[in-house]
């Protein structure tokens, strides 16, 4: 891959990383507001449905935060590959990933064929 393209993708990855960190930080700040509800001295005056809703929202927030952390790991892995000269190569077949795919998913670690094969295998494995 050309040096200019690598610089372009590195910039995109760094922007994506910053955005993801901001999202995680925002989730953490909003989570703090929600914790006040669950740490009240008495939950006696709260309706059970309110408590159930709060538990659901907290679980949903935790799942979304987990998704952002996985995304951050993928971005960090891609940045390591940029520095080592391995960026843009499929981790399964070692062929170069199409630039169009990297334009859409700059942290993609597999070419579309290997990703599709993995996806098909996981679907077949869950059906059998």
């Amino acid at each position: 891959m050309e040096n200019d393209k690598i610089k372009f993708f590195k910039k995109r990855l760094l922007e994506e990383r910053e955005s993801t960190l901001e999202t995680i930080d925002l989730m953490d700040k909003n989570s703090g507001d929600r914790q006040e509800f669950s740490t009240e001295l008495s939950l006696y005056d709260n309706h059970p449905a309110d408590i159930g809703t709060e538990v659901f929202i907290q679980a949903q927030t935790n799942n979304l935060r987990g998704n952002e952390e996985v995304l951050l790991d993928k971005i960090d892995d891609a940045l390591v590959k940029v520095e080592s000269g391995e960026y843009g190569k499929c981790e399964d077949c070692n062929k170069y990933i199409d630039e169009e795919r990297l334009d859409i998913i700059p942290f993609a670690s597999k070419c579309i064929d290997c990703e599709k094969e993995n996806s098909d295998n996981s679907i077949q494995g869950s059906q059998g």
Side-chain angles (χ1 to χ4, degrees):
M1 187 180 297
E2 298 170 14
N3 199 25
D4 289 343
K5 284 286 186 178
I6 289 176
K7 286 180 183 178
F8 169 78
F9 286 119
K10 181 177 180 179
K11 182 178 184 248
R12 291 259 329 266
L13 287 164
L14 290 170
E15 290 169 355
E16 189 76 29
R17 186 177 195 283
E18 184 64 30
S19 175
T20 304
L21 286 171
E22 287 174 8
T23 301
I24 290 172
D25 187 48
L26 186 61
M27 287 177 167
D28 289 344
K29 287 179 184 174
N30 288 337
S31 177
D33 295 341
R34 294 224 166 271
Q35 286 178 341
E36 288 178 22
F37 177 87
S38 62
T39 58
E40 288 181 13
L41 291 176
S42 171
L43 293 176
Y44 180 74
D45 60 341
N46 291 327
H47 191 277
D50 292 337
I51 297 168
T53 299
E54 189 62 33
V55 169
F56 171 78
I57 290 171
Q58 187 62 43
Q60 186 179 35
T61 300
N62 289 342
N63 286 336
L64 291 171
R65 190 180 195 289
N67 289 345
E68 292 298 315
E69 289 172 351
V70 168
L71 177 60
L72 187 60
D73 287 343
K74 289 179 179 183
I75 293 168
D76 287 342
D77 289 345
L79 287 167
V80 167
K81 289 179 181 179
V82 166
E83 296 305 318
S84 70
E86 294 295 310
Y87 180 76
K89 288 186 181 178
C90 176
E91 64 184 28
D92 285 353
C93 69
N94 211 30
K95 293 180 184 174
Y96 279 98
I97 300 170
D98 289 334
E99 286 184 20
E100 289 113 14
R101 178 167 169 75
L102 292 173
D103 277 336
I104 297 167
I105 309 169
F107 50 85
S109 61
K110 297 180 184 180
C111 68
I112 194 72
D113 292 333
C114 290
E115 189 70 46
K116 186 175 188 287
E117 186 177 318
N118 270 356
S119 178
D120 290 346
N121 288 340
S122 67
I123 290 172
Q124 290 173 357
S126 66
Q127 291 176 352

